[in-house]
Amino acid sequence: MNDLNLGLKSSEYPSHNKLKENHMIAKGKNASELFPAVVKNVASKNIEIKKLVYVYLVRYAEEQQDLALLSISTFQRALKDPNQLIRASALRVLSSIRVPIIVPIMMLAIKEASADLSPYVRKNAAHAIQKLYSLDPEQKEMLIEVIEKLLKDKSTLVAGSVVMAFEEVCPDRIDLIHKNYRKLCNLLVDVEEWGQVVIIHMLTRYARTQFVSPWKEDDGLEDNEKNFYESDDEQKEKTDQKKKPYAMDPDHRLLIRNTKPLLQSRNAAVVMAVAQLYWHISPKSEVGIISKSLVRLLRSNREVQYIVLQNIATMSIQRKGMFEPYLKSFYVRSTDPTMIKILKLEILTNLANEANISTLLREFQTYVKSQDKQFAAATIQTIGRCATNISEVTDTCLSGLVCLLSNRDEIVVAESVVVIKKLLQMQPAQHGEIIKHMAKLLDSITVPVARASILWLIGENCERVPKIAPDVLRKMAKSFTNEDDLVKLQILNLGAKLYLTNSKQTKLLTQYILNLGKYDQNYDIRDRTRFIRQLIVPNEKSGALSKYAKKIFLAQKPAPLLESPFKDRDHFQLGTLSHTLNTKAIGYLELSNWPEVAPDPSVRNVEVIELAKWTYSSDLPYKGFNVDILKFIIHSDSEDEEKENEKSKTSDSSSTDSSSVEESSSDSESESESESESESKKNNHIHKFIFVCFSNVQQVNTPVFVPVKTHVLLHRMSGRGLAAHYFFPRQPCIFGDKMVSIQITLNNTTDRKIENIHIEGKKLPMGMQMHVFNPIESLEPEGSITVSMGIDFCDSTQTASFQLCTKDDCFNVNIQPPVGELLLPVAMSEKDFKKEQGMLTGMNETSTVIIAAPQNFTPSVILQKVVNIANVGVVPSGQDNIYRFAAKTVHSGSLMLVTVELKEGSTAQLIINTERTVIGSVLLRELKPVLSQG
C-alpha cells in the first residue's frame, strides 16, 4: 500500500499518484481496493489530482456505492467551482453513483447545470439526463422539462448531447422539436461528429411525420375509380385536386440541403447517417448524390465496409442506376475477407443487366476458382440468380454450371447441382440431356444435398428419362441403409413416383425400399414410409386419397424464386443495428409512414425578438422592435421639450431610469395639458420613431433556393495535393449578423497526411472583417472535411484575399462573392412591398427592358432564374403579369426590391429599388442576361 499510497496529500508526489492510477485502470487491472485511499483526495486543491480522482470515481462509484456516498457533499461543492472542468466532472461522477436515494440531489444538480454559463457543463448535464432516467424512470416529466430547455441552447457543443437525451427519454415528443427544428438544421454542420449522427437520425424520423412524401405525384383517378353517384363536375374537381403538383416544404428542403455537405465528412458514421436520410426522405431524383460518398467509404477498414456494403445491397435492389457507374468498385479482391466477398457478390448480382452481364460472368468464372470454398459456392448461387433474372443468358449460365459438374472440388460440384436443379424447374422439358448427365454423377458425388437434388430431379422427370430412372432406383436401393437421411427421403419419393408411372419395372424394387424404410432408425423416414405405402399400394384399408396418388406426387411444382436476402430489409431504417441484423433490436424506433396531409408548418416558426408589454405601445401594429430603444427615444423627446421650457435642466437621457423619466415627464406636462393629450403625444413619438427609423425593418425568411454550385478556392495542383472549394449556404452567419456565411470543403488528394491547415495573412479592404475556421490538426489521405467561416463584405463585391496554409506551405487564395449572395430573403406582403417601393424611387430606382421568348416568361421560369442568381424572398402578387421579390443586404440591412413586369409581346421590364444603388446596378446586370435567355 505504501507503493501506491494515493491517500497522500495532493501536494506530495502528485505525478506519482497520477501515473499509478492511470496505469492500473488503463491496463484493466482492478484498483477498487484503493477506493478509500483515492476518495480522500476528492477535496484536493490540485486540479490535476482532482480530475484524476473524478475519473477513478466514475469507474468505481457503482461498485463502491457506500463509500461514494460519503463524498457527495464534496461533489455538491464542486458543482459551484469556478473551473468548468471541475463542475462538469463533479456532475459526471454524481450521475454515475447509481443509488436511488440520491436521485433528488442528482435532479437538482442537473437542473442547475443546464443553466450553467459553460456549454461544456451544459453538455454534461445532457449526458446526466440519460443516466438519471435509467436509474429512475419516474423522473421522466421533470427530465423532459430540462430537455426542452436544453434544446433551445444555441451552442453546437450541447446540441448533439441533448438530442441523444431526447432520443433516450422521450423520442415520441415531436412537439419539443418544432421550435428548434430550423436551428438544429442550421447548426448541424458545426456540431461534433457523433452529435451529427444522432441529430440526423432524429431529424429523419421527424421529417417522416411532418412532411408529405416527395416520392410520387398522383396522376389523377382512373376511369374505373369514378364513383357511380358523382357528377362530372364533382369528378373533375376531384381529379384536379389529385393532379395538384407536389411542392416541397421549405423546411423539408432545408434539412436536405444542410446535410448535403456532410457527405464529405471524414467520419463514416456521419456519411452513412446522411445517406440514410437521403434514402428515406429526399426525392428519388436526388438520392443518387449519396452513391459516390458511400463508395468512398469502401476504402475504410473491413468493419466499415461490411456495414456500408449491407446498406448498398439494400439500396441496389430498388435503384440499380445509383451504383452502376461504380460497378468495378464492387469487384472482389483476393485480400477481402469472406463476409465482404459475399456482400460484393450480392451487389454485383443486383446490378447485373443485359449490358454488363457478359463482363460479370467473366468475373464470376474467376471467383469460382477461388480457394475460399464458401465464396466459390456463393458465386455459383450468384450465377444461378443471374440466369433467373436475365433470360438472355439463362442457357449460357446453365451450360457453364454443367461444365462445373466435372470440377475436382466436391463442394463446387454439389453447389452446381443444387443451382442447376432450381434452373431446370423453370424449363424441365428442354433439358433431358442435362438430367441424364447428372444421373451419371451419382456414383461420384458424395455431398448429401447434391445427391438429394439429383434424385429429386430424376423423380420429377421420370417419364422423360424412362430408361435411366429405374436403374438409378436400383442403385439407390443397394446403398439405402448407408445414405444420409436427406437422401433416403428422396429415394422414397423417387420409388413412389416410379411405382405410379412405371409399376411393371419398379413395383418390387419400391416395396423393397419401403420395407427398409419401415425399420429405419429415423422416425421421419419411418413416418414417410408408412404414408407412402398407404397412399400408393392398394389394399382393403386404403383411404379415398389412394386414387389421387399420382396427382399428389406428380403435381406441377412452382419454379423457385431466387431472391436477394436483402429484398425485404428496407423496412428497417438504413444504418441501424436492426437493418444489419434483419430483426428488430431493443430500442429501435421505427420510421412512420408519410402523412397524407402535411401537419401545420407554422409550428416551426420562431419569433426572433418578442415584443415586451409596454403601455405606450399596446395599440401599435408593429412587431419585433426593441422596446428599450423606443423608451430611450420617448425619454429623449420628453427631455427636449423640457429643455425648451426649462433651460436649466441638462441630463443624459440614456442613463436615466425609464420609470422616473415617465413620472417626471408626466408631471411637467400636466401643468399645461390634460392626461389624454399627454398620452396622445407619447404615442405620436412612438409612431414618428417607427416611421423614421424602423420603416425598413422586416423579418428575414428561409432561402427559397440554394444553388449547388461550388467555387474553386484552391486547385489540387496549385495546392500540392490540397484542394479547396467554397459554397454559399444562404443562411444567416453564426459568427456575426453582418457576415456572409461560407462553407469550405477541404480535400486531401495525396497519399500522405496534411497537417495544421489554417488561415493567415489576411489582406482585406478597409472595413471588411473575416471570422476564420479553427486550425485543422490533420487531414488523412483521400480525406475530406467541411468547415464554416464568415466574411463581412460591407455590401460590396470586393475580393477577400488571404492565405490558406498547411504545416509546410502557404497558398494565396481569394473569395469574391456573387452580388446575389450579399442578400438575405425578406418576408413581405404585397401592400408593404408597394409602400416601400414608393419610398425608393428616383435615384434609388434602376430598370431595364428584357426581350425573350414567351415560354421564358412563365412563373416557374422567372422564379427559378431570379432565386438562382439572388438570395431573395418571393412576395405574393395579386397580378398575373407582375412578379415581386424582396431582400435586404447582409451588412447594412438595406431593402432590395426586385420587380419583373411582363409587357405585351415578348418583352418585360426589370426594376430594382434600393438605397444601395451600386449593388442594385450590379444585380440588374446579372439578372438581365439570365432572364433574356431562351
Side-chain angles (χ1 to χ4, degrees):
M1 188 67 178
N2 291 332
D3 292 336
L4 298 174
N5 188 5
L6 298 183
L8 293 171
K9 292 180 180 179
S10 59
S11 58
E12 299 179 31
Y13 315 116
S15 60
H16 176 81
N17 296 346
K18 182 178 179 181
L19 287 173
K20 290 295 183 182
E21 184 178 328
N22 275 343
H23 286 174
M24 292 190 70
I25 295 177
K27 290 182 177 180
K29 295 182 179 179
N30 185 7
S32 58
E33 61 182 13
L34 303 175
F35 196 93
V38 174
V39 83
K40 291 179 183 178
N41 283 319
V42 76
S44 171
K45 300 297 182 185
N46 186 306
I47 293 180
E48 291 300 320
I49 294 295
K50 188 185 286 283
K51 286 195 293 185
L52 284 172
V53 173
Y54 283 171
V55 170
Y56 178 90
L57 287 173
V58 169
R59 170 65 181 81
Y60 291 109
E62 192 169 352
E63 297 178 15
Q64 302 281 346
Q65 293 181 359
D66 293 340
L67 291 173
L69 287 173
L70 298 176
S71 57
I72 284 181
S73 59
T74 307
F75 300 142
Q76 289 178 293
R77 288 196 300 272
L79 289 171
K80 307 292 184 183
D81 194 280
N83 189 317
Q84 61 173 349
L85 296 177
I86 298 300
R87 296 199 302 275
S89 298
L91 179 61
R92 190 158 57 242
V93 177
L94 190 61
S95 59
S96 298
I97 303 175
R98 302 182 60 80
V99 181
I101 196 172
I102 67 165
V103 165
I105 299 175
M106 290 170 62
M107 189 71 243
L108 182 61
I110 291 173
K111 282 186 175 181
E112 292 180 353
S114 66
D116 197 281
L117 294 177
S118 167
Y120 181 68
V121 178
R122 301 198 298 273
K123 177 186 180 74
N124 278 272
H127 291 165
I129 289 173
Q130 304 168 57
K131 297 179 184 178
L132 180 54
Y133 179 69
S134 65
L135 179 62
D136 186 5
E138 293 184 1
Q139 302 295 320
K140 180 175 180 177
E141 292 305 318
M142 296 180 69
L143 291 175
I144 289 176
E145 293 178 8
V146 181
I147 290 173
E148 185 175 10
K149 178 181 178 181
L150 288 173
L151 280 171
K152 299 176 183 177
D153 202 301
K154 296 182 180 180
S155 172
T156 56
L157 195 64
V158 181
S161 300
V162 67
V163 170
M164 188 67 218
F166 169 83
E167 292 282 80
E168 290 288 330
V169 178
C170 52
D172 55 328
R173 288 290 304 274
I174 294 295
D175 57 294
L176 300 181
I177 304 299
H178 291 323
K179 297 291 185 183
N180 304 288
Y181 172 81
R182 293 170 185 165
K183 181 197 71 176
L184 289 172
C185 290
N186 291 325
L187 290 182
L188 193 56
V189 73
D190 295 313
V191 175
E192 48 89 19
E193 293 171 338
W194 296 111
Q196 289 173 343
V197 175
V198 175
I199 294 174
I200 291 171
H201 277 276
M202 183 275 292
L203 291 179
T204 303
R205 289 194 304 106
Y206 178 89
R208 288 291 287 261
T209 64
Q210 299 302 309
F211 309 125
V212 295
S213 173
W215 295 341
K216 60 182 180 181
E217 294 182 32
D218 291 332
D219 298 325
L221 293 171
E222 299 293 338
D223 292 338
N224 57 0
E225 291 179 338
K226 179 178 176 180
N227 192 309
F228 180 80
Y229 295 101
E230 282 183 354
S231 66
D232 290 339
D233 292 340
E234 290 174 336
Q235 178 64 22
K236 183 178 179 182
E237 181 181 351
K238 194 170 182 180
T239 304
D240 291 341
Q241 292 176 355
K242 284 282 185 179
K243 290 184 177 180
K244 186 178 180 181
Y246 167 77
M248 180 176 283
D249 189 297
D251 287 328
H252 193 172
R253 173 58 63 191
L254 176 69
L255 175 58
I256 295 173
R257 182 175 63 243
N258 284 17
T259 51
K260 181 182 176 182
L262 298 182
L263 286 171
Q264 307 298 322
S265 175
R266 60 186 175 183
N267 188 306
V270 175
V271 177
M272 191 65 246
V274 177
Q276 66 83 28
L277 178 139
Y278 265 75
W279 179 261
H280 290 298
I281 74 164
S282 72
K284 292 183 178 180
S285 59
E286 299 179 25
V287 179
I289 196 174
I290 68 177
S291 54
K292 185 176 182 180
S293 299
L294 290 175
V295 171
R296 173 172 63 87
L297 296 183
L298 298 181
R299 302 170 186 167
S300 306
N301 56 62
R302 61 177 61 183
E303 291 79 12
V304 172
Q305 287 185 56
Y306 180 75
I307 297 299
V308 172
L309 287 170
Q310 277 203 325
N311 287 276
I312 292 177
T314 300
M315 296 179 190
S316 60
I317 293 174
Q318 295 185 20
R319 302 178 195 172
K320 294 183 179 183
M322 283 176 57
F323 297 99
E324 279 183 10
Y326 309 99
L327 187 69
K328 292 185 178 179
S329 298
F330 304 109
Y331 283 180
V332 174
R333 297 186 178 93
S334 58
T335 55
D336 287 337
T338 303
M339 61 180 184
I340 300 298
K341 291 178 181 177
I342 293 175
L343 282 173
K344 285 185 175 180
L345 270 179
E346 178 65 34
I347 295 169
L348 290 174
T349 309
N350 293 340
L351 298 181
N353 55 37
E354 293 84 353
N356 59 31
I357 187 61
S358 57
T359 304
L360 290 179
L361 286 178
R362 286 196 297 272
E363 190 75 11
F364 294 158
Q365 285 177 351
T366 306
Y367 299 164
V368 169
K369 301 172 185 177
S370 172
Q371 296 300 312
D372 185 342
K373 302 309 175 188
Q374 183 181 353
F375 171 54
T379 303
I380 294 171
Q381 294 177 16
T382 296
I383 294 172
R385 280 180 56 194
C386 290
T388 305
N389 299 334
I390 306 172
S391 58
E392 290 82 356
V393 295
T394 302
D395 292 338
T396 304
C397 292
L398 196 53
S399 300
L401 291 171
V402 171
C403 292
L404 291 178
L405 295 177
S406 58
N407 195 290
R408 293 181 180 179
D409 193 314
E410 203 172 66
I411 294 177
V412 172
V413 175
E415 200 65 41
S416 300
V417 168
V418 174
V419 174
I420 289 173
K421 168 206 163 187
K422 294 176 180 177
L423 292 178
L424 292 184
Q425 281 185 257
M426 302 173 189
Q427 299 172 319
Q430 302 176 17
H431 302 289
E433 291 301 319
I434 295 177
I435 296 172
K436 293 177 183 178
H437 180 64
M438 293 176 70
K440 296 175 183 178
L441 294 174
L442 274 174
D443 295 333
S444 57
I445 294 178
T446 59
V447 177
V449 176
R451 292 175 68 81
S453 296
I454 294 173
L455 291 171
W456 185 90
L457 267 177
I458 295 172
E460 282 295 296
N461 299 276
C462 58
E463 293 178 313
R464 296 187 181 91
V465 286
K467 295 182 180 180
I468 293 177
D471 196 49
V472 169
L473 184 64
R474 178 182 61 80
K475 290 182 178 181
M476 291 296 102
K478 289 182 180 181
S479 60
F480 183 87
T481 54
N482 298 321
E483 295 288 353
D484 186 88
D485 291 343
L486 190 63
V487 180
K488 289 179 180 179
L489 290 172
Q490 291 304 327
I491 295 173
L492 290 169
N493 288 342
L494 175 61
K497 292 172 184 176
L498 286 173
Y499 187 97
L500 294 170
T501 59
N502 190 359
S503 177
K504 183 178 179 181
Q505 282 186 288
T506 59
K507 179 178 180 181
L508 295 176
L509 199 54
T510 301
Q511 289 180 346
Y512 171 73
I513 293 173
L514 291 174
N515 288 333
L516 291 177
K518 182 178 179 180
Y519 300 102
D520 197 90
Q521 293 182 351
N522 187 295
Y523 58 83
D524 283 334
I525 295 172
R526 296 197 300 270
D527 287 348
R528 179 73 62 85
T529 301
R530 284 193 290 268
F531 170 74
I532 290 175
R533 186 186 296 275
Q534 291 297 320
L535 199 58
I536 68 172
V537 181
N539 55 49
E540 302 82 15
K541 298 181 180 179
S542 294
L545 284 178
S546 295
K547 55 185 176 182
Y548 301 108
K550 193 167 185 177
K551 290 185 178 180
I552 293 173
F553 278 101
L554 298 174
Q556 188 68 33
K557 311 294 190 304
L561 293 175
L562 301 178
E563 295 180 336
S564 169
F566 290 87
K567 183 188 177 190
D568 298 321
R569 200 177 288 198
D570 61 337
H571 64 277
F572 290 116
Q573 186 175 354
L574 298 186
T576 60
L577 179 63
S578 297
H579 176 268
T580 301
L581 301 177
N582 198 23
T583 186
K584 188 173 180 179
I586 297 175
Y588 174 71
L589 300 172
E590 293 184 352
L591 287 176
S592 63
N593 294 325
W594 295 102
E596 292 295 328
V597 179
D600 182 12
S602 65
V603 295
R604 291 183 289 277
N605 294 339
V606 180
E607 289 289 340
V608 178
I609 302 175
E610 294 183 359
L611 185 63
K613 290 183 180 179
W614 189 39
T615 55
Y616 297 139
S617 61
S618 60
D619 58 343
L620 289 178
Y622 307 102
K623 299 277 186 181
F625 300 122
N626 190 317
V627 178
D628 293 331
I629 297 178
L630 291 177
K631 288 183 178 180
F632 170 77
I633 296 298
I634 297 299
H635 181 193
S636 301
D637 287 349
S638 298
E639 281 205 325
D640 290 339
E641 290 179 6
E642 288 177 4
K643 283 180 181 179
E644 292 178 4
N645 297 328
E646 301 176 24
K647 300 291 185 180
S648 59
K649 291 186 179 181
T650 57
S651 63
D652 185 1
S653 63
S654 61
S655 61
T656 308
D657 181 74
S658 60
S659 61
S660 63
V661 171
E662 290 170 17
E663 184 180 351
S664 63
S665 63
S666 63
D667 289 341
S668 64
E669 291 174 349
S670 64
E671 296 176 1
S672 58
E673 58 190 22
S674 65
E675 290 181 4
S676 61
E677 292 173 336
S678 175
E679 186 70 12
S680 176
K681 269 195 171 186
K682 291 171 184 175
N683 281 333
N684 287 337
H685 288 312
I686 298 171
H687 285 276
K688 178 183 176 182
F689 171 72
I690 293 173
F691 179 78
V692 174
C693 299
F694 284 91
S695 60
N696 287 337
V697 174
Q698 303 290 337
Q699 182 181 1
V700 175
N701 203 12
T702 305
V704 177
F705 174 75
V706 178
V708 296
K709 179 182 178 182
T710 60
H711 309 269
V712 177
L713 182 66
L714 179 64
H715 193 273
R716 61 184 180 85
M717 299 299 292
S718 305
R720 299 181 183 177
L722 176 64
H725 295 76
Y726 65 94
F727 165 77
F728 295 91
R730 289 189 174 180
Q731 295 293 332
C733 185
I734 61 175
F735 305 118
D737 295 335
K738 296 183 178 182
M739 288 187 171
V740 175
S741 181
I742 301 170
Q743 291 181 4
I744 299 179
T745 301
L746 302 166
N747 295 283
N748 181 359
T749 63
T750 68
D751 57 355
R752 56 181 175 78
K753 185 186 297 184
I754 298 179
E755 298 181 345
N756 191 22
I757 304 174
H758 62 282
I759 287 178
E760 61 183 37
K762 293 179 285 186
K763 297 178 182 179
L764 305 176
M766 184 175 296
M768 287 178 59
Q769 295 181 350
M770 177 187 293
H771 187 287
V772 302
F773 58 84
N774 294 328
I776 300 169
E777 294 182 2
S778 65
L779 188 59
E780 297 296 327
E782 302 298 326
S784 176
I785 188 171
T786 300
V787 294
S788 296
M789 60 185 294
I791 301 178
D792 182 357
F793 289 101
C794 297
D795 289 351
S796 72
T797 55
Q798 296 183 82
T799 300
S801 301
F802 53 95
Q803 289 184 324
L804 181 61
C805 300
T806 65
K807 181 181 179 182
D808 305 314
D809 302 292
C810 281
F811 310 98
N812 293 321
V813 294
N814 304 300
I815 292 180
Q816 184 175 21
V819 65
E821 305 303 334
L822 300 175
L823 306 174
L824 290 174
V826 163
M828 183 181 288
S829 67
E830 184 178 12
K831 180 180 178 181
D832 290 338
F833 183 97
K834 291 179 179 178
K835 178 181 177 182
E836 297 293 346
Q837 190 177 39
M839 299 169 62
L840 293 170
T841 56
M843 297 289 289
N844 295 322
E845 181 177 295
T846 55
S847 64
T848 185
V849 175
I850 302 168
I851 301 175
Q855 65 267 21
N856 202 34
F857 283 152
T858 62
S860 60
V861 172
I862 292 175
L863 172 64
Q864 178 187 357
K865 292 188 174 183
V866 173
V867 300
N868 185 53
I869 293 295
N871 186 18
V872 295
V874 181
V875 177
S877 177
Q879 299 163 280
D880 294 337
N881 65 322
I882 298 180
Y883 306 92
R884 298 182 174 91
F885 306 86
K888 73 174 186 178
T889 58
V890 176
H891 177 82
S892 63
S894 301
L895 274 180
M896 182 76 63
L897 307 178
V898 181
T899 306
V900 180
E901 183 176 358
L902 305 185
K903 303 292 186 178
E904 294 182 0
S906 58
T907 63
Q909 187 173 18
L910 174 63
I911 307 169
I912 295 182
N913 302 82
T914 180
E915 293 177 346
R916 311 293 291 186
T917 54
V918 175
I919 297 183
S921 299
V922 175
L923 183 59
L924 190 79
R925 291 200 302 269
E926 294 274 353
L927 286 172
K928 182 178 178 180
V930 174
L931 291 171
S932 300
Q933 292 173 0

Coordinates of all heavy atoms in Angstrom, one line a residue, residues 79-80 87-88 91 106-126 128 146 149-150 153 158:
L79 N -19.7 21.5 -7.7 CA -20.6 22.0 -8.8 C -20.7 23.5 -8.8 O -21.1 24.1 -9.8 CB -22.1 21.5 -8.5 CG -22.3 20.0 -8.7 CD1 -23.7 19.6 -8.2 CD2 -22.1 19.6 -10.2
K80 N -20.1 24.2 -7.8 CA -20.0 25.6 -7.8 C -18.6 26.1 -8.1 O -18.3 27.3 -8.0 CB -20.5 26.2 -6.4 CG -21.8 25.7 -5.9 CD -22.9 26.2 -6.8 CE -24.3 25.8 -6.3 NZ -25.4 26.3 -7.1
R87 N -16.6 21.5 -12.5 CA -18.1 21.4 -12.4 C -18.6 20.3 -13.2 O -19.5 19.5 -12.8 CB -18.7 22.7 -12.9 CG -18.3 23.9 -12.0 CD -19.3 25.1 -12.2 NE -19.4 25.5 -13.6 CZ -18.6 26.4 -14.2 NH1 -17.6 26.9 -13.5 NH2 -18.8 26.8 -15.4
A88 N -18.1 20.1 -14.4 CA -18.6 19.1 -15.3 C -18.2 17.7 -14.8 O -19.0 16.8 -14.8 CB -18.0 19.3 -16.7
L91 N -20.4 16.7 -11.8 CA -21.7 16.2 -12.3 C -21.7 14.8 -12.9 O -22.5 14.0 -12.7 CB -22.3 17.2 -13.3 CG -23.7 16.9 -13.9 CD1 -24.7 16.9 -12.8 CD2 -24.1 17.9 -15.0
M106 N -29.3 14.5 -7.6 CA -28.9 14.4 -9.0 C -29.8 15.3 -9.8 O -29.4 16.0 -10.7 CB -29.0 13.0 -9.5 CG -27.9 12.1 -8.9 SD -28.1 10.3 -9.4 CE -28.0 10.4 -11.1
M107 N -31.2 15.2 -9.5 CA -32.1 16.0 -10.3 C -31.8 17.5 -10.1 O -31.8 18.3 -11.1 CB -33.5 15.7 -9.8 CG -34.6 16.3 -10.7 SD -34.8 15.5 -12.3 CE -34.4 16.8 -13.4
L108 N -31.6 17.9 -8.9 CA -31.3 19.3 -8.7 C -30.0 19.8 -9.3 O -29.9 20.9 -9.9 CB -31.2 19.6 -7.1 CG -30.9 21.0 -6.7 CD1 -32.0 21.9 -7.2 CD2 -30.8 21.1 -5.2
A109 N -29.0 18.9 -9.3 CA -27.7 19.2 -9.9 C -27.8 19.4 -11.4 O -27.2 20.3 -12.0 CB -26.7 18.1 -9.6
I110 N -28.6 18.5 -12.0 CA -28.8 18.6 -13.5 C -29.6 19.9 -13.9 O -29.2 20.5 -14.9 CB -29.6 17.3 -14.0 CG1 -28.8 16.1 -13.8 CG2 -30.1 17.5 -15.4 CD1 -29.6 14.8 -14.1
K111 N -30.6 20.2 -13.1 CA -31.3 21.5 -13.4 C -30.4 22.7 -13.3 O -30.4 23.6 -14.2 CB -32.4 21.6 -12.4 CG -33.7 20.8 -12.7 CD -34.8 21.1 -11.8 CE -36.1 20.4 -12.1 NZ -37.2 20.7 -11.2
E112 N -29.5 22.7 -12.3 CA -28.6 23.8 -12.1 C -27.6 23.8 -13.3 O -27.2 24.9 -13.8 CB -27.9 23.8 -10.8 CG -28.9 24.1 -9.6 CD -28.1 24.0 -8.3 OE1 -26.9 23.6 -8.3 OE2 -28.8 24.3 -7.3
A113 N -27.1 22.7 -13.6 CA -26.0 22.6 -14.6 C -26.6 22.9 -16.0 O -25.9 23.4 -16.9 CB -25.4 21.2 -14.7
S114 N -27.9 22.7 -16.2 CA -28.5 23.0 -17.5 C -28.5 24.5 -17.8 O -28.7 24.9 -18.9 CB -29.9 22.4 -17.6 OG -30.8 23.0 -16.7
A115 N -28.4 25.3 -16.7 CA -28.4 26.8 -16.8 C -27.0 27.3 -16.6 O -26.8 28.5 -16.5 CB -29.3 27.4 -15.8
D116 N -26.0 26.5 -16.6 CA -24.6 26.9 -16.4 C -24.1 27.8 -17.6 O -24.6 27.6 -18.7 CB -23.7 25.7 -16.3 CG -22.3 26.1 -15.7 OD1 -21.5 26.6 -16.4 OD2 -22.1 25.8 -14.5
L117 N -23.2 28.7 -17.3 CA -22.7 29.6 -18.4 C -21.8 28.8 -19.3 O -21.7 29.2 -20.5 CB -22.0 30.8 -17.8 CG -22.8 31.8 -16.9 CD1 -21.9 32.8 -16.3 CD2 -23.8 32.4 -17.8
S118 N -21.2 27.7 -18.9 CA -20.3 27.0 -19.7 C -21.1 26.0 -20.6 O -21.8 25.1 -20.0 CB -19.3 26.3 -18.9 OG -18.6 25.3 -19.6
P119 N -20.9 26.0 -21.9 CA -21.6 25.0 -22.7 C -21.1 23.6 -22.4 O -21.8 22.6 -22.6 CB -21.3 25.4 -24.1 CG -20.1 26.3 -24.0 CD -20.2 26.9 -22.7
Y120 N -19.8 23.4 -21.9 CA -19.3 22.1 -21.6 C -20.0 21.5 -20.4 O -20.3 20.3 -20.4 CB -17.8 22.3 -21.3 CG -17.1 20.9 -21.0 CD1 -16.9 20.0 -21.9 CD2 -16.7 20.7 -19.7 CE1 -16.3 18.8 -21.6 CE2 -16.1 19.5 -19.3 CZ -15.9 18.5 -20.3 OH -15.3 17.3 -20.0
V121 N -20.4 22.3 -19.5 CA -21.1 21.8 -18.3 C -22.5 21.5 -18.7 O -23.1 20.5 -18.3 CB -21.1 22.9 -17.2 CG1 -22.0 22.4 -16.0 CG2 -19.7 23.2 -16.7
R122 N -23.1 22.3 -19.6 CA -24.5 22.0 -20.1 C -24.5 20.7 -20.9 O -25.5 19.9 -20.8 CB -25.0 23.2 -20.9 CG -25.1 24.5 -20.2 CD -26.0 25.5 -20.9 NE -25.5 25.9 -22.2 CZ -24.7 26.8 -22.5 NH1 -24.1 27.5 -21.5 NH2 -24.3 27.1 -23.7
K123 N -23.4 20.5 -21.6 CA -23.3 19.2 -22.4 C -23.3 18.0 -21.4 O -24.0 17.0 -21.6 CB -22.0 19.3 -23.2 CG -21.7 18.0 -24.0 CD -20.3 18.1 -24.6 CE -20.0 16.8 -25.4 NZ -20.8 16.8 -26.7
N124 N -22.6 18.1 -20.3 CA -22.5 17.1 -19.3 C -23.9 16.9 -18.6 O -24.2 15.8 -18.2 CB -21.4 17.3 -18.3 CG -20.1 16.9 -18.8 OD1 -19.7 15.7 -18.7 ND2 -19.4 17.8 -19.5
A125 N -24.6 18.0 -18.5 CA -26.0 17.9 -17.9 C -26.9 17.0 -18.8 O -27.7 16.2 -18.3 CB -26.6 19.3 -17.7
A126 N -26.7 17.2 -20.1 CA -27.5 16.4 -21.1 C -27.1 14.9 -21.0 O -28.0 14.0 -21.0 CB -27.2 16.9 -22.5
A128 N -26.0 13.5 -18.2 CA -26.5 13.0 -17.0 C -28.0 12.7 -17.0 O -28.5 11.9 -16.3 CB -26.2 14.1 -15.9
V146 N -36.1 19.7 -18.5 CA -34.7 20.1 -18.7 C -34.3 19.9 -20.2 O -33.6 20.8 -20.8 CB -33.8 19.2 -17.8 CG1 -32.4 19.6 -18.0 CG2 -34.2 19.4 -16.3
K149 N -35.6 22.7 -22.2 CA -34.7 23.9 -22.0 C -33.4 23.8 -22.8 O -33.0 24.8 -23.4 CB -34.5 24.1 -20.5 CG -33.6 25.3 -20.1 CD -33.4 25.3 -18.6 CE -32.5 26.4 -18.2 NZ -32.2 26.4 -16.8
L150 N -32.8 22.7 -22.7 CA -31.5 22.5 -23.4 C -31.6 22.5 -24.9 O -30.7 22.8 -25.6 CB -30.8 21.2 -22.9 CG -30.2 21.3 -21.5 CD1 -29.7 19.9 -21.0 CD2 -29.1 22.3 -21.4
D153 N -30.8 25.6 -26.5 CA -29.4 26.1 -26.4 C -28.8 26.3 -27.8 O -29.0 25.4 -28.7 CB -28.6 25.0 -25.6 CG -27.3 25.6 -25.0 OD1 -26.5 26.1 -25.8 OD2 -27.2 25.6 -23.8
V158 N -23.6 21.5 -27.2 CA -24.7 20.9 -26.5 C -25.7 20.2 -27.3 O -26.3 19.2 -26.9 CB -25.4 22.0 -25.7 CG1 -26.6 21.5 -24.8 CG2 -24.5 22.8 -24.8

